[in-house]
Amino acid sequence: MKKYIIILWLMVLVLTAGCAKTETAGGQKTIRIAEQYGIAYAPVQIMKAQGLLEKNCPGIVISWEQMNNTAAIREAMVADRLDAGFMAIPPFLIGWDNGMDWKIATGLSSVPTGLVTKTSVNSLAELGEKDRIAVPQPGSVQHILLAMACDRDFGNPQKLDNQLVTLSHPDGMNALLSGGDVTAHFTATPYLEKELATPGFHQILSGNEAFGGEFSFIVGVTTKKLHDQNPEVYAAFNQSVGEAITFINDHPQEAAGILSEAYDLPEAEVLAYLTAADTEYSQTVKGIQTFSDFMLKTGYLKKSLENPGTIIWEQTDYED
Amino acid sequence: MKIKAIFLKPYAKYIWIILMLVAWEVTAKLAPVSPLAFPSLELILAALIDSVINGDILMQMAFSLGLILIGLGIGVVLAFLMSFLSVVSPVFASFTDTCVSIFHPLPGIALLPLIILWIGTGSMAILFVIVHSVLWPMILNMTAGFKAIPEVYKKIGMNYEFNTLQSIIRIFVPASLSFLIAGLKISWARGWRAAISAEMIFGASGGIGGIGWYIFNKRVFMDTAGVYAGILMIIAVGIFVEDVVFGKLEKNTIKKWGVA
Amino acid sequence: MKNVDVNPIIEICAVNKSYEGRPVLADINLAIRPGELICVIGASGCGKSTLLNLIGGFVKADRGEIRLNGRLVEKPCRQCIMVFQEFDQLFTWQTVRHNIEFPLKNAPERLSHQEIRSRADHYLAMVKLTDFGDYYPNQLSGGMKQRTALARALALSPQLLLMDEPFGSLDAQTKKELQETLLEIRQETRATTVFVTHDIREALYLADRIVVLKAGAVAAVIKNQTRNTDETRVAEITALLSP
């Protein structure tokens, strides 16, 4: 019998070892940041390229983690393998709703986003049962924006939910342009511009129309652990994002040069995206209350947000 | 009874499962792990029951299984046709061999970006991935089974004046049934995985989507207990198919005939 | 020869067969009358199995022709059923009864269900396997498997039964029992049989005539009315076989 107890113990050890935590950020000046690509994440790239964090917090050890989707970032933060990441407001709210200990540290960007369809479709109402709508994933900002528009137009936020197809931005673009069953794509810069430049496709809904105003497309989020146990690093992170944003706004030409190298895109194209009329880089967080009220009403959230201040770190600007 | 004897019984699998569940619960309760990563069994069970009562999980399961069944059917028929033609014609046999060596190692998921371009993202695309997963291992097993048929069976078929098709259906197929069942098992496992992966990538395709879509949805809305509930369903179906469906099939055929 | 007036059921005329340039059978001539039990005997590699396969239509002669009831044999047919030495000639997925019924169920002439059943019963009894109809082949001994194979062949009432060392893999006692059964069946059915063996005593015990094959040619055709298995007779044939 003793033998079997030992075996059982070993199994428990193996199971728990698999979930054991990596060295935490507490004490030392280290930060683990999710690195993402795209025009909406431009300040992150600038921050990295210009070594702003290193400058603002000498001696810091930064580990840039490649992440390609919001769910993965959230899971990495739950597993304590990541301290900071960038995402849209709805996925952040879903994490908060499920008890994740994190808050928004900074706004990052607002970029053009919208629903592109074939020119034969002129409004949401014209999307039939057979039409498939590609979104990055359910619960993404694109999905919530679409639900907001459906709520306003038809009084039914779930009207198009059964027609969603989950595709990454590039796959979604390919699916739309190839003329298959995907007839609509809710996407953002730069895929939005590429699709609109293709004959036969047009935008029937913009993000701002759906939302009913302006909102932060991407925000920066950090764990409570980083904020509480490593205030120096947290402050440097926030400051660096701010400096990167200021740099892009003040020196778009130079910023485009840096980004064109990182993204392997023509400089002129990047510059056009950076300086587009509805692209804005700002640390001010916009739209949290509207998103959270809508998601609560439609059942995507269970918790009610009394005051945006409770999910935003102090000293971070917000407006609603 | 001696403990060792218990683990040699056919139900040992279920004892292990119970032990694992206990280890799980102990870890979830006592270890310093976040319930977002490691929910307790009650939470998982509650999520499962909730999905059964209020959600579509049973429908989604049926949807996935239905797709697999159709895919298996198409795959088996195609595999039979190609194996049959390979028996009849050595030229076609070399063509089949080439196809198998090209496509067999290729995971269906790797083809997804192309499939999106060719046939879009609907159930057809998932079906395509399933058929791809089923077809090649099935052909491999069918042709291997046909090759392993004793020479006397072929002579007996000729003696009864059967043509090639009659020989294959009346003699070759039952004679190579152990290969065919092995092929079906591999095909089922591969098709099942492919279907779930494809659903997780494509999302809802026919309205409610399948069990893969269920898990994906739970993940993006951070319902970890729901993710585990979906995984439990997949495991349960896997064990059911392996033990009950294939177990019965083998018991009534190759085990009974003594050729397993 | 007596009975010259009776038409032979099998006529083998000047048959030659070689494999990859190596002659296996040279200029074989043989006529087999209805009801006869012919044993073809010879050392291994002498071409006796090839001869059987030629008669059955499983292989084609290079030269010469074989006629079954006057018609040229070109491919295997249901009138001319082969019983093999291999135990795995039975269909493992069918019971003894279903093995016997199998060729009847798949017959071009549609037999009634009852007809099939009663024929299977009849031949099951003939090979003394009445109680084993529901057994699967893997549950049977070697001797029982060969009995089943024999019954399956007989069920079609073939004009000619070809037996390729069917008892070659059995122990002496079982072999003896099967030989007796075969003789009893012959009494009852008068089935024409070509029986290949390398066992001289078996040939002496079973055959009406013994065809001695040596190096691909007929060395002798011996009448065997006495069925005398004395050592002198065995020695006589052994002498014919030895080079």
Side-chain angles (χ1 to χ4, degrees):
Chain A
M1 189 65 204
K2 212 167 163 185
K3 203 161 71 186
Y4 300 101
I5 293 173
I6 293 170
I7 291 174
L8 196 65
W9 248 112
L10 283 174
M11 275 176 41
V12 171
L13 282 180
V14 169
L15 279 174
T16 47
C19 313
K21 289 165 183 170
T22 48
E23 244 340 278
T24 57
Q28 288 118 22
K29 290 199 284 186
T30 60
I31 186 168
R32 296 158 301 177
I33 308 174
E35 181 176 10
Q36 287 164 292
Y37 293 101
I39 299 300
Y41 302 93
V44 183
Q45 201 61 40
I46 296 292
M47 181 164 86
K48 188 185 175 192
Q50 297 200 320
L52 296 176
L53 255 174
E54 292 89 335
K55 185 195 73 166
N56 290 326
C57 184
I60 193 170
V61 179
I62 310 167
S63 132
W64 294 94
E65 310 282 344
Q66 297 280 351
M67 297 270 171
N68 61 0
N69 91 29
T70 309
I73 293 176
R74 244 172 7 205
E75 283 149 10
M77 282 187 163
V78 169
D80 194 14
R81 288 190 159 81
L82 200 64
D83 303 308
F86 301 88
M87 63 188 69
I89 291 172
F92 163 79
L93 289 172
I94 289 167
W96 161 76
D97 189 48
N98 283 287
M100 280 186 71
D101 228 347
W102 64 354
K103 289 188 188 182
I104 295 175
T106 174
L108 195 73
S109 61
S110 304
V111 298
T113 178
L115 183 63
V116 180
T117 64
K118 289 181 175 170
T119 37
S120 54
V121 178
N122 291 304
S123 71
L124 281 184
E126 287 176 29
L127 282 170
E129 295 256 312
K130 292 263 173 213
D131 290 302
R132 295 276 169 268
I133 306 154
V135 295
Q137 60 189 36
S140 63
V141 62
Q142 287 82 1
H143 174 210
I144 299 300
L145 288 170
L146 186 63
M148 285 173 147
C150 286
D151 188 37
R152 194 168 39 245
D153 288 8
F154 315 111
N156 174 11
Q158 265 105 29
K159 178 172 186 276
L160 296 170
D161 273 9
N162 280 346
Q163 284 157 251
L164 297 184
V165 179
T166 299
L167 290 172
S168 66
H169 288 291
D171 281 345
M173 182 173 75
N174 284 337
L176 179 73
L177 299 185
S178 72
D181 51 356
V182 171
T183 45
H185 185 201
F186 211 126
T187 188
T189 301
Y191 304 97
L192 183 72
E193 287 82 353
K194 283 189 182 148
E195 288 172 8
L196 293 179
T198 310
F201 297 94
H202 69 163
Q203 178 172 298
I204 60 166
L205 178 72
S206 79
N208 288 345
E209 284 161 17
F211 187 80
E214 290 189 3
F215 60 94
S216 297
F217 184 68
I218 299 292
V219 296
V221 181
T222 69
T223 57
K224 180 175 164 55
K225 196 167 158 189
L226 178 80
H227 175 267
D228 290 1
Q229 297 182 8
N230 237 333
E232 197 188 338
V233 172
Y234 169 78
F237 170 76
N238 221 341
Q239 192 188 342
S240 304
V241 173
E243 287 176 13
I245 288 173
T246 310
F247 179 79
I248 295 175
N249 290 335
D250 293 352
H251 310 282
Q253 187 74 51
E254 268 176 77
I258 294 169
L259 293 170
S260 89
E261 212 166 289
Y263 297 157
D264 199 17
L265 284 173
E267 198 173 317
E269 193 182 331
V270 177
L271 185 64
Y273 292 139
L274 290 184
T275 55
D278 36 9
T279 298
E280 189 200 350
Y281 296 99
S282 158
Q283 278 202 288
T284 306
V285 183
K286 286 178 228 160
I288 293 194
Q289 192 68 48
T290 310
F291 271 125
S292 109
D293 289 347
F294 173 77
M295 288 171 73
L296 178 69
K297 182 185 88 177
T298 49
Y300 292 113
L301 296 180
K302 301 175 286 291
K303 278 200 261 189
S304 161
L305 179 64
E306 302 306 337
N307 168 14
T310 56
I311 53 168
I312 297 181
W313 296 121
E314 69 288 339
Q315 295 164 343
T316 300
D317 294 331
Y318 66 87
E319 56 187 58
D320 225 292
Chain B
M1 198 182 341
K2 278 223 167 132
I3 288 183
K4 194 174 164 188
I6 295 175
F7 287 99
L8 297 176
K9 295 274 179 200
Y11 53 73
K13 185 191 275 177
Y14 299 97
I15 299 178
W16 283 117
I17 290 174
I18 290 168
L19 285 177
M20 285 178 199
L21 291 178
V22 169
W24 179 278
E25 190 66 1
V26 169
T27 314
K29 282 275 153 64
L30 302 179
V33 288
S34 160
L36 278 178
F38 220 96
S40 67
L41 290 180
E42 306 95 90
L43 285 176
I44 297 174
L45 220 61
L48 185 59
I49 292 169
D50 180 64
S51 292
V52 169
I53 296 172
N54 301 318
D56 289 328
I57 194 168
L58 294 181
M59 285 296 292
Q60 287 170 319
M61 202 59 157
F63 181 85
S64 294
L65 284 173
L67 272 184
I68 298 271
L69 229 63
I70 297 170
L72 266 179
I74 297 174
V76 168
V77 169
L78 282 179
F80 180 79
L81 280 177
M82 288 188 76
S83 307
F84 168 70
L85 290 172
S86 299
V87 169
V88 178
S89 146
V91 175
F92 196 85
S94 83
F95 169 71
T96 305
D97 278 354
T98 311
C99 285
V100 169
S101 49
I102 291 174
F103 295 112
H104 184 52
L106 197 61
I109 292 304
L111 288 175
L112 271 187
L114 293 178
I115 294 171
I116 295 173
L117 292 179
W118 294 338
I119 45 179
T121 56
S123 305
M124 279 304 290
I126 295 180
L127 206 56
F128 190 95
V129 176
I130 297 173
V131 170
H132 166 82
S133 306
V134 167
L135 184 58
W136 312 111
M138 205 62 213
I139 289 181
L140 267 182
N141 275 271
M142 268 193 192
T143 48
F146 290 170
K147 275 181 197 148
I149 285 170
E151 199 59 30
V152 278
Y153 282 176
K154 295 177 192 167
K155 282 191 164 179
I156 290 170
M158 289 159 76
N159 215 164
Y160 294 155
E161 297 174 24
F162 290 167
N163 59 35
T164 311
L165 185 63
Q166 287 171 325
S167 275
I168 286 181
I169 290 174
R170 290 171 184 172
I171 302 180
F172 288 18
V173 168
S176 53
L177 201 72
S178 59
F179 285 86
L180 301 188
I181 291 179
L184 266 182
K185 279 169 129 177
I186 298 170
S187 299
W188 146 258
R190 288 186 52 156
W192 182 230
R193 283 175 220 179
I196 290 169
S197 321
E199 283 168 8
M200 291 182 83
I201 292 174
F202 284 145
S205 48
I208 57 166
I211 188 71
W213 175 243
Y214 169 88
I215 292 178
F216 186 79
N217 247 306
K218 295 294 172 190
R219 179 189 180 209
V220 295
F221 287 108
M222 271 213 109
D223 181 356
T224 315
V227 172
Y228 283 112
I231 290 172
L232 273 188
M233 282 294 276
I234 291 175
I235 294 172
V237 168
I239 291 180
F240 174 82
V241 171
E242 184 73 18
D243 284 11
V244 179
V245 178
F246 283 115
K248 273 255 157 62
L249 183 61
E250 287 183 339
K251 200 174 147 212
N252 287 319
T253 56
I254 53 179
K255 289 228 168 91
K256 189 164 82 177
W257 309 336
V259 295
Chain C
M1 262 194 256
K2 290 187 289 184
N3 299 338
V4 259
D5 49 317
V6 179
N7 283 332
I9 188 162
I10 284 280
E11 270 179 295
I12 302 171
C13 295
V15 161
N16 284 271
K17 177 74 191 170
S18 55
Y19 284 118
E20 290 159 4
R22 193 174 54 84
V24 179
L25 290 174
D27 199 27
I28 304 287
N29 288 285
L30 192 67
I32 299 166
R33 291 183 293 274
E36 256 192 322
L37 199 165
I38 301 283
C39 276
V40 179
I41 195 162
S44 50
C46 71
K48 54 190 192 302
S49 281
T50 304
L51 179 60
L52 203 64
N53 278 305
L54 280 166
I55 299 173
F58 293 101
V59 292
K60 278 203 170 68
D62 298 338
R63 267 181 293 129
E65 55 182 44
I66 298 172
R67 289 178 182 277
L68 173 67
N69 284 327
R71 283 181 53 188
L72 212 57
V73 172
E74 280 166 323
K75 56 182 185 8
C77 67
R78 298 168 67 93
Q79 279 81 51
C80 189
I81 296 290
M82 178 95 93
V83 177
F84 302 87
Q85 179 178 2
E86 293 92 331
F87 292 155
D88 63 6
Q89 66 188 293
L90 294 186
F91 298 140
T92 51
W93 59 94
Q94 289 177 331
T95 59
V96 167
R97 167 179 291 284
H98 288 132
N99 260 284
I100 296 168
E101 289 177 353
F102 178 82
L104 300 172
K105 282 178 184 158
N106 294 297
E109 71 275 12
R110 291 208 148 273
L111 295 170
S112 75
H113 202 69
Q114 258 179 325
E115 170 74 13
I116 291 173
R117 235 192 126 68
S118 72
R119 272 216 228 177
D121 283 335
H122 177 69
Y123 290 102
L124 268 173
M126 197 180 273
V127 297
K128 305 186 169 63
L129 284 178
T130 304
D131 296 336
F132 293 91
D134 295 329
Y135 281 54
Y136 281 92
N138 74 307
Q139 298 167 299
L140 301 179
S141 68
M144 290 158 115
K145 285 181 187 168
Q146 297 309 79
R147 283 174 191 271
T148 310
L150 186 55
R152 186 173 68 181
L154 290 167
L156 278 174
S157 313
Q159 295 179 1
L160 186 63
L161 203 55
L162 302 173
M163 303 183 82
D164 191 358
E165 302 198 44
F167 310 147
S169 307
L170 300 174
D171 63 84
Q173 179 58 34
T174 313
K175 194 170 180 172
K176 192 87 199 142
E177 288 166 18
L178 267 116
Q179 287 167 354
E180 274 160 29
T181 307
L182 181 62
L183 286 180
E184 285 167 32
I185 288 170
R186 215 177 89 75
Q187 284 301 320
E188 206 171 319
T189 63
R190 302 304 303 168
T192 314
T193 308
V194 180
F195 191 107
V196 164
T197 180
H198 62 262
D199 179 345
I200 296 167
R201 283 183 189 79
E202 184 168 58
L204 285 171
Y205 185 68
L206 295 174
D208 297 324
R209 281 193 297 158
I210 299 173
V211 174
V212 181
L213 271 190
K214 194 164 136 190
V218 178
V221 179
I222 300 161
K223 283 190 202 167
N224 186 39
Q225 256 117 352
T226 58
R227 296 233 157 74
N228 179 353
T229 53
D230 280 353
E231 285 309 309
T232 47
R233 291 274 284 167
V234 174
E236 206 176 297
I237 295 173
T238 311
L240 279 171
L241 284 172
S242 53

